[in-house]
Amino acid sequence: MSNTTKSPEEAFAEGMAGTVVPDVSSKQDKTRSLAQDALRDLIRRPMFIVSGILIVAILIIASFPTLFTSVDPLACDLKHSMEGPSGSAWFGYNFQGCDVYSQTIYGTRNSIIVGVLTTIFSLIIGGLVGVLGGFFGKWTDALLSFVTNVFFGLPLLLAAIVILNNFRDEKGMRNAGVMAVVLTLSVVGWMSMARVMRGAVMQVKQADYVAAARSLGASTSRMMFRHVLPNSITPLIVVATISLGAVIGAEATLSFLGIGIRPPAISWGVMISEAQGRISQGLHPLLFPSGMLTITVLAFIMLGDAVRDAFDPKLR
Amino acid sequence: MRGAKSAKWVAGAIVVALAATACGGKDKAEEGEGKGKAGGAVSVGISEPKRLVPQTTTESEGSQVLDALFRPLVSYDAKNQPVEDAAESVTTTDNSLWTVKIKPGQKFHDGTPVTAKSYVQGWNWGAYGPNAADGNYFFATIEGYDALNPADPDGEEGPKKAPEPTAKELSGLKVVDETTFTVKLAKPFADYKTVLGYTVFYPLPDAAIANIKAYEQAPIGQGAFKIEGKWDHNKSIKVVKNPDYTGTNKPNVDSVTYKIYQKQETMYKDVVAGALDVIPQVPSSELANAPKQFGERFKSSPASTFQFVSFPTYDKKYSKPDVRKAISMAIDREEITKVILNDSQSPARSFVSPVVGGYRDNTCGDSCKFDPAAAKALLAKAGGIEGNKINIGYNGDGGHKEWVDATCNQIKKNLGVECVGQAVPQFAELLTQVEQKKFSGMFRMGWIMDYPSMENYLGPLFTTGGSSNYYGYSNKKFDKLVEDGRAAKTSAEAIKLWQQAEDVLVQDMPVIPLRFGKNVFAHSKNVSNVEMDLFNRVDVTKISKA
Amino acid sequence: MGRFVIRRILQMVPVFIGTTLIVYFLVTQMGGDPIQNLYGEKPVPDNIRATLTAQYHLDDPFFVRYWYYFSGLLQGDFGESIAQGRPIAELLVEAWPETLKVAGVAFVFELVIGVVAGVLAGMRRGSFIDNLVLVSTLTVIAIPIFVLGNVGQTFLGQEWGLFPVAGTDDGFISYLLPGMVLGSVSLAYIARLARASVAENLRADYIRTAKAKGLPKSRVIGIHVLRNSLIPVVTYLGADLGSLMGGAIVTEGIFNIPGVGFQLFSSLNVEDGPAVVGFVSLLVLVYLITALVVDMLYAVLDPRIRYE
């Protein structure tokens, strides 16, 4: 999504279309590229700094859970069932009498892997399908739209069962790892992104600066990746950052049905779905993993907003 | 989801509690409890029934509805002994040829008379293989069954199709006169009268034989209620009082609407809000709140369910009885029933349910007593468990996760052995893996009785090649005792032999008994006299408006 | 445009056939045992298994099975459900109207609230309203839908009696609460998309031109900004309409609405192949039609987009 250098026809096109803010002082500062500009701009944004710190913190928790807790998340005792937060267990105990804080910490890694990787993969597949379909139109679009619609129609459950059926150990027992879940959720998660991307590309494709670039003899790939993509990626980023949270929840559905990540692996999604059946007896086992999920999604949305604002030529 | 959760109910008598009602109801009235008014409409929550033809209905939801529409040949008294209901008499001299006389003057809801032929044609329909009725296997004990259900010559995997049946009628069923028919069994069975209470032994009117598909949408029976309109799929089924009903258990209310729900949680909220009158099974997530929300109107009664954990015999890890006993002793059944299940089930220390004759409390003895120290010592003596790691398999669609996880946590803590609950999406897949000897680990099982007899727990679950003996337990001495009990002259003799058989199980410990079920139900302020039978059905002839 | 629409509609025929083929194939790959599922935890007698296997052609090679299905389909016969023993056409006729009502409410709800919130937030980026919209939409995303549904049902239905707790007995009002719960999931996407688009377009030169021309603010926002900002929103709404219908499993369960989501989920659980194929194929048709409508809307919203 970044523009590292500025081509002449791009500068011309943007100039013609007036998409670069015609601020005279910045226009004269021709020595900096758009990307450099964006980065300088980015690190001064408080939203970027806050979200950056949050994401780094979450990544540290995911990588080194033992730094944050010494309690075994799987040592559970029914005697503590549903006990509220206390000095010995900051987030209290869940229905099975497991330490909620420790489980939340240890659950971070799987949730982040599933959430982030699935979002990235869906973004790549969806973005590519959307750009190609929207840009080329005609039979390319017809074919890609057909594929998109069929995938849309497939229920998550059907696709997940069929895909995860094939992940088995040598004895034929189900053995789906985190990556299998990422693959499954990516396969069923890219379609909205493709549709949104396609719509945006179709709109941008008609813009004057694209026509200008074309008339200047820019290659197809150049037009697609230098002109159309950067100007149409905003909706994609919006959808992607939000779906991060939805993906973490979808992972729980799979685990709950017995086709997702195998216990004793822990994830926020599993914690949330286990806690939801008992909300009438206590909210704390639900609140803490949900809270972490909210913070994570918030951090990524803020990051997405900041990055987009910094790189989007029209907003500068 | 529902299919596996509800397991299978072979249901029975319309009026299971009818005999008890006759006196029990009166007692209540005298005590001033039965203050219900006559008339009015009530509603009962159910899930969508799978089928509504008696011979194809072996689960609780359908049998709940059919229970209102039909009158069984026999119903069960307070001690779960069979008592004639639609039948005038059920007699035999040799436990092999049974003569059934039905009470005269009974009519189906469409006005046609109920005759011996109605029963024989209903049973023949159910037994005829190509009809693929769920209750087909109930007729297997009757002579001539094989001619209606020829075996596939090369097994189900083979390429050849099963041959066409050579007969359409069971040779063991004979109409003697308008109200009498005889049943000839392939082998003598002393408890056969008990069996005759289930749904699959209801009669079928001529209208059903003429067009079974149309019949199923609005079943015609001969019971205390008749259907109004049609089965409104996934929404409701309404039944109204049958004015021509000749039975003694005349209903108090004018109509019952069975409201169909997808989730018990929703059903529960509707009862709290007063939009529904009875919830037959309070969902586990609400068990902690139900006593507060319903007070006296939250009730429980015994049910026939038996939950246990079994050891596949092909898995060498668990081949020593002492290892199995040690695991059993490391499980604190009381803690789980109390904390996880809110006393909606009770700890089990026997291999047959308390609802059947011949049940003895705590036959399992020390092997089912919670004693972590003794369990550890026993395990050490037996040489520990290979890999110091076990797992408990369960079907993820049946709501078993919470108690399996809790059981594993206890084993881990009390025995020092790694334990993981392993979900398999569906019961069918668990079965396939066990049958192919692929599943490594213990796995959960549940049993709901078909008829109130000790034999119905021992035979299918533990005899060699028993229909639900998936773990492959086999003990010749046990097999012989069960078989001898079946052929015994009297019930008392049979029970004695079956109890000896149960003692064999205690020695071998092929499974770990965990819990017996209960009906845990609640009702709104609008109704009273809500009672449930062993088959998890609300007795709609007793219920009345408050 | 007319030829474009006709061409697209004609394309739906092979797409529909292709879909049934793919879905039928996937269902056979689920690896389960539909007959055992019929019997729950009790054993299936061998002879019954053989009869049912033959009746539903479960033993036949894939293409033979598909041929049976497809030739039935050509005669307008969707086949019979294995689990329920009823014609699938009947199931479809019962389930679709229910789902359409819930999805309709959800659609209107997310459209109106989402677009209004998004436009307000986008016009005043960084303001209190913007942050309020951000926080409230985020909360909705982070709260799982079953919690949202349960809380709504408990308080608005059971405790305060504002809405029926569950079921469809009360006509239109029965569908309001489930529709709003269902719609709230996508509300966040709509609001965020509208916000981003509006913010972007506010800086566009044609807006500056419009303002410079002295057009009233309401017209600038209402016509120029909104119209140009709606493409991503419309795209998402179009894609979402399908998932409102097929993916409403949780909501339909909580509010006891016997719609498509419920039927699809229970059919999948018991691996009732013919029923799954029937429901999924119709869902794909819905996606195709919404995609076509969305494409036509593009041309309306942005006259520069043309279909040849």
Side-chain angles (χ1 to χ4, degrees):
Chain A
M1 81 177 84
S2 66
N3 301 354
T4 43
T5 55
K6 240 177 183 190
S7 61
E9 76 267 19
E10 183 174 27
F12 177 68
E14 283 174 359
M16 267 192 56
T19 41
V20 172
V21 179
D23 180 317
V24 181
S25 62
S26 85
K27 194 85 181 171
Q28 283 172 338
D29 194 3
K30 266 289 178 188
T31 52
R32 285 208 309 269
S33 76
L34 179 65
Q36 283 169 329
D37 244 10
L39 281 177
R40 274 173 59 102
D41 186 74
L42 204 54
I43 50 172
R44 276 193 241 117
R45 285 170 186 263
M47 228 160 85
F48 176 76
I49 297 166
V50 173
S51 63
I53 291 173
L54 278 175
I55 289 171
V56 169
I58 292 164
L59 290 178
I60 294 175
I61 294 176
S63 316
F64 311 103
T66 42
L67 289 179
F68 297 88
T69 177
S70 55
V71 180
D72 179 359
L74 296 171
C76 312
D77 191 334
L78 281 182
K79 283 184 185 61
H80 295 302
S81 177
M82 293 313 258
E83 271 177 25
S86 66
S88 55
W90 296 351
F91 292 179
Y93 294 94
N94 69 6
F95 185 58
Q96 296 282 0
C98 316
D99 186 319
V100 177
Y101 171 72
S102 170
Q103 288 213 327
T104 310
I105 294 294
Y106 276 94
T108 309
R109 183 182 301 171
N110 284 328
S111 302
I112 292 296
I113 291 178
V114 170
V116 172
L117 286 188
T118 305
T119 307
I120 291 176
F121 289 159
S122 327
L123 195 112
I124 293 172
I125 308 174
L128 212 59
V129 170
V131 167
L132 294 176
F135 190 81
F136 290 111
K138 304 208 175 139
W139 67 266
T140 317
D141 187 34
L143 182 72
L144 290 174
S145 293
F146 163 56
V147 175
T148 312
N149 288 323
V150 171
F151 272 89
F152 250 130
L154 287 186
L156 165 79
L157 199 60
L158 174 61
I161 290 173
V162 172
I163 297 173
L164 293 170
N165 245 344
N166 295 307
F167 287 89
R168 290 175 186 266
D169 61 16
E170 66 284 353
K171 288 181 83 179
M173 298 282 292
R174 285 176 182 279
N175 187 23
V178 180
M179 289 317 288
V181 171
V182 168
L183 174 76
T184 307
L185 291 175
S186 305
V187 165
V188 295
W190 57 271
M191 295 83 69
S192 295
M193 299 197 197
R195 280 263 192 104
V196 166
M197 190 70 199
R198 172 176 171 273
V201 168
M202 283 170 65
Q203 193 179 21
V204 168
K205 192 174 72 167
Q206 318 288 341
D208 307 337
Y209 53 87
V210 179
R214 185 180 287 131
S215 62
L216 278 173
S219 69
T220 307
S221 63
R222 185 164 192 96
M223 280 202 299
M224 203 152 80
F225 291 106
R226 284 281 154 79
H227 301 284
V228 175
L229 195 61
N231 282 297
S232 54
I233 204 154
T234 303
L236 190 64
I237 292 180
V238 172
V239 173
T241 46
I242 301 182
S243 58
L244 189 86
V247 166
I248 294 178
E251 177 269 314
T253 315
L254 300 184
S255 297
F256 218 63
L257 293 170
I259 55 178
I261 305 175
R262 316 280 327 165
I266 307 169
S267 74
W268 295 339
V270 171
M271 291 179 71
I272 290 170
S273 51
E274 279 179 12
Q276 60 101 1
R278 299 283 168 176
I279 42 175
S280 54
Q281 281 162 266
L283 273 175
H284 62 272
L286 177 71
L287 281 183
F288 292 102
S290 297
M292 281 296 275
L293 177 58
T294 314
I295 291 172
T296 309
V297 177
L298 182 67
F300 277 98
I301 287 184
M302 281 162 59
L303 183 74
D305 262 15
V307 169
R308 193 197 63 222
D309 285 1
F311 279 90
D312 192 329
K314 279 172 285 187
L315 281 182
R316 303 189 59 241
Chain B
M1 190 166 266
R2 206 189 69 238
K5 198 186 280 180
S6 56
K8 253 21 260 280
W9 288 81
V10 171
I14 284 201
V15 220
V16 160
L18 168 62
T21 320
C23 48
K26 260 182 240 153
D27 289 348
K28 283 227 171 98
E30 283 156 19
E31 286 160 18
E33 270 185 44
K35 51 184 180 279
K37 286 179 275 189
V42 297
S43 54
V44 175
I46 56 170
S47 300
E48 167 87 348
K50 275 191 190 162
R51 306 299 298 269
L52 277 185
V53 174
Q55 283 72 22
T56 59
T57 301
T58 56
E59 41 89 49
S60 59
E61 314 302 318
S63 83
Q64 167 81 71
V65 176
L66 293 178
D67 177 41
L69 298 176
F70 283 88
R71 183 182 183 189
L73 284 172
V74 301
S75 47
Y76 304 100
D77 66 10
K79 288 180 179 165
N80 298 319
Q81 293 304 306
V83 176
E84 281 81 358
D85 193 337
E88 180 85 52
S89 67
V90 178
T91 51
T92 184
T93 49
D94 57 358
N95 287 342
S96 175
L97 183 70
W98 292 76
T99 306
V100 181
K101 258 181 141 23
I102 57 172
K103 286 181 181 138
Q106 298 184 62
K107 273 185 185 158
F108 282 109
H109 300 148
D110 62 356
T112 53
V114 180
T115 63
K117 178 176 156 264
S118 317
Y119 284 90
V120 171
Q121 71 187 12
W123 297 14
N124 278 332
W125 188 89
Y128 186 59
N131 288 334
D134 279 31
N136 173 287
Y137 67 100
F138 280 103
F139 303 102
T141 51
I142 299 174
E143 211 174 71
Y145 173 82
D146 291 344
L148 277 68
N149 296 276
D152 198 338
D154 48 3
E156 63 173 90
E157 304 296 333
K160 282 186 207 148
K161 295 267 183 275
E164 284 291 305
T166 51
K168 285 195 107 172
E169 285 167 9
L170 290 164
S171 60
L173 289 182
K174 291 258 157 44
V175 175
V176 176
D177 60 39
E178 192 74 344
T179 56
T180 315
F181 65 99
T182 57
V183 185
K184 176 98 172 85
L185 300 183
K187 275 187 201 168
F189 183 31
D191 255 0
Y192 195 65
K193 189 175 163 187
T194 312
V195 178
L196 293 177
Y198 346 133
T199 322
V200 296
F201 293 109
Y202 294 160
L204 281 186
D206 294 343
I209 303 297
N211 185 347
I212 200 80
K213 292 237 173 217
Y215 172 81
E216 189 169 20
Q217 301 309 314
I220 297 160
Q222 29 58 298
F225 291 89
K226 58 182 181 181
I227 195 161
E228 186 179 271
K230 279 189 168 186
W231 176 4
D232 193 1
H233 288 277
N234 296 305
K235 287 185 175 167
S236 64
I237 299 171
K238 189 178 181 187
V239 300
V240 296
K241 202 169 171 173
N242 173 16
D244 301 330
Y245 184 58
T246 53
T248 47
N249 57 335
K250 294 235 172 21
N252 292 325
V253 293
D254 293 333
S255 75
V256 179
T257 303
Y258 294 101
K259 286 178 113 178
I260 301 173
Y261 288 84
Q262 296 167 30
K263 289 170 71 87
Q264 287 174 331
E265 287 78 6
T266 315
M267 205 192 279
Y268 182 85
K269 288 204 176 81
D270 249 359
V271 180
V272 174
L276 177 73
D277 292 326
V278 185
I279 174 166
Q281 183 73 48
V282 173
S284 55
S285 58
E286 300 289 355
L287 285 168
N289 297 328
K292 279 174 265 163
Q293 271 171 317
F294 287 97
E296 291 280 277
R297 291 177 287 119
F298 174 64
K299 293 171 178 165
S300 72
S301 70
S304 70
T305 343
F306 174 41
Q307 286 282 356
F308 56 95
V309 169
S310 53
F311 302 95
T313 43
Y314 58 79
D315 199 340
K316 293 278 181 309
K317 218 169 174 175
Y318 308 104
S319 55
K320 292 180 190 160
D322 278 354
V323 169
R324 305 199 285 256
K325 285 175 186 167
I327 295 173
S328 170
M329 289 157 77
I331 299 171
D332 186 348
R333 293 168 176 74
E334 267 74 16
E335 193 180 45
I336 289 178
T337 49
K338 188 164 156 280
V339 180
I340 302 278
L341 299 158
N342 293 85
D343 296 319
S344 61
Q345 298 182 26
S346 50
R349 293 196 171 78
S350 304
F351 292 85
V352 299
S353 161
V355 301
V356 296
Y359 164 79
R360 293 164 298 162
D361 188 27
N362 197 12
T363 50
C364 180
D366 283 348
S367 302
C368 294
K369 192 174 149 203
F370 175 56
D371 189 342
K376 260 191 180 152
L378 191 62
L379 186 66
K381 203 186 98 196
I385 292 180
E386 187 192 321
N388 208 37
K389 188 172 181 296
I390 58 178
N391 47 31
I392 303 181
Y394 63 97
N395 44 314
D397 60 353
H400 301 293
K401 182 177 169 53
E402 286 184 339
W403 72 259
V404 170
D405 282 352
T407 308
C408 249
N409 286 334
Q410 286 182 346
I411 292 172
K412 198 156 59 179
K413 189 174 123 210
N414 300 327
L415 217 51
V417 175
E418 237 353 91
C419 181
V420 172
Q422 192 163 13
V424 170
Q426 291 167 333
F427 191 77
E429 179 168 339
L430 188 61
L431 277 194
T432 314
Q433 290 184 346
V434 170
E435 274 164 9
Q436 297 172 351
K437 304 193 194 307
K438 277 180 181 165
F439 190 86
S440 64
M442 316 187 273
F443 57 94
R444 74 145 283 272
M445 287 282 296
W447 181 251
I448 297 168
M449 71 177 188
D450 294 334
Y451 46 92
S453 164
M454 206 171 161
E455 187 269 345
N456 191 233
Y457 286 82
L458 301 178
L461 290 176
F462 302 111
T463 51
T464 307
S467 58
S468 289
N469 181 358
Y470 301 117
Y471 23 89
Y473 172 70
S474 175
N475 183 322
K476 289 211 174 74
K477 192 178 158 200
F478 176 85
D479 291 351
K480 182 158 190 328
L481 285 165
V482 173
E483 192 54 45
D484 290 352
R486 279 195 196 115
K489 282 270 179 304
T490 66
S491 291
E493 264 174 57
I495 283 175
K496 210 171 274 170
L497 289 161
W498 289 334
Q499 285 178 339
Q500 289 174 26
E502 190 187 352
D503 293 338
V504 174
L505 295 180
V506 175
Q507 293 304 313
D508 288 352
M509 204 76 182
V511 306
I512 300 178
L514 289 178
R515 293 180 308 277
F516 294 126
K518 286 183 195 172
N519 297 319
V520 184
F521 58 104
H523 62 85
S524 72
K525 285 178 187 145
N526 308 330
V527 293
S528 61
N529 295 334
V530 181
E531 281 176 36
M532 291 191 68
D533 65 22
L534 292 178
F535 300 94
N536 204 18
R537 297 177 305 194
V538 178
D539 189 337
V540 285
T541 56
K542 274 187 170 178
I543 196 169
S544 59
K545 295 292 273 188
Chain C
M1 191 74 164
R3 282 180 57 193
F4 169 75
V5 172
I6 291 169
R7 204 175 64 220
R8 284 282 292 266
I9 289 174
L10 285 178
Q11 277 172 4
M12 286 182 194
V13 178
V15 169
F16 182 76
I17 295 169
T19 307
T20 57
L21 183 72
I22 293 170
V23 176
Y24 210 104
F25 177 73
L26 286 179
V27 171
T28 59
Q29 296 303 302
M30 287 175 80
D33 183 349
I35 295 177
Q36 178 63 51
N37 289 332
L38 282 178
Y39 273 69
E41 300 188 5
K42 293 266 172 171
V44 186
D46 285 347
N47 54 322
I48 299 296
R49 179 178 284 280
T51 306
L52 289 172
T53 303
Q55 186 177 342
Y56 294 107
H57 312 294
L58 295 177
D59 256 2
D60 291 330
F62 168 71
F63 280 102
V64 176
R65 286 176 68 181
Y66 181 72
W67 173 247
Y68 280 119
Y69 180 79
F70 187 69
S71 52
L73 205 59
L74 285 181
Q75 296 153 34
D77 181 6
F78 278 88
E80 190 181 88
S81 151
I82 298 177
Q84 305 179 49
R86 291 204 292 145
I88 289 159
E90 237 177 82
L91 304 183
L92 293 170
V93 168
E94 278 167 20
W96 274 98
E98 302 291 339
T99 288
L100 283 176
K101 286 179 221 167
V102 183
V105 173
F107 188 75
V108 171
F109 178 72
E110 67 183 50
L111 174 74
V112 173
I113 309 280
V115 170
V116 168
V119 169
L120 287 179
M123 279 164 51
R124 299 202 174 76
R125 276 159 47 90
S127 70
F128 171 73
I129 291 209
D130 186 16
N131 288 322
L132 183 75
V133 170
L134 175 66
V135 171
S136 50
T137 48
L138 264 186
T139 318
V140 176
I141 299 173
I143 299 176
I145 187 166
F146 40 75
V147 177
L148 207 65
N150 277 322
V151 170
Q153 189 177 42
T154 305
F155 289 100
L156 300 175
Q158 178 193 315
E159 298 293 324
W160 304 335
L162 297 176
F163 295 95
V165 175
T168 54
D169 296 342
D170 302 278
F172 177 67
I173 198 169
S174 313
Y175 301 94
L176 279 181
L177 189 57
M180 288 194 294
V181 168
L182 184 61
S184 65
V185 184
S186 306
L187 194 61
Y189 288 91
I190 302 292
R192 304 289 310 159
L193 278 172
R195 173 188 176 274
S197 262
V198 165
E200 211 170 88
N201 281 314
L202 271 178
R203 320 277 176 99
D205 38 309
Y206 58 84
I207 298 298
R208 219 174 293 121
T209 316
K211 277 186 188 159
K213 276 199 303 190
L215 286 180
K217 199 180 172 200
S218 61
R219 192 172 163 78
V220 174
I221 301 293
I223 305 290
H224 295 270
V225 174
L226 212 52
R227 187 163 154 176
N228 280 287
S229 307
L230 279 180
I231 284 204
V233 177
V234 165
T235 312
Y236 191 83
L237 277 170
D240 195 47
L241 193 62
S243 35
L244 288 179
M245 295 182 186
I249 296 161
V250 176
T251 318
E252 287 187 1
I254 291 175
F255 292 98
N256 205 37
I257 291 163
V260 172
F262 162 66
Q263 283 284 1
L264 193 52
F265 185 73
S266 41
S267 304
L268 272 171
N269 265 319
V270 295
E271 293 178 31
D272 187 345
V276 171
V277 180
F279 277 97
V280 172
S281 304
L282 272 191
L283 265 181
V284 172
L285 266 188
V286 169
Y287 277 106
L288 288 171
I289 294 166
T290 52
L292 177 59
V293 172
V294 165
D295 274 351
M296 280 151 58
L297 277 176
Y298 284 170
V300 174
L301 290 170
D302 188 340
R304 287 175 302 181
I305 297 181
R306 272 182 225 296
Y307 301 102
E308 56 286 333

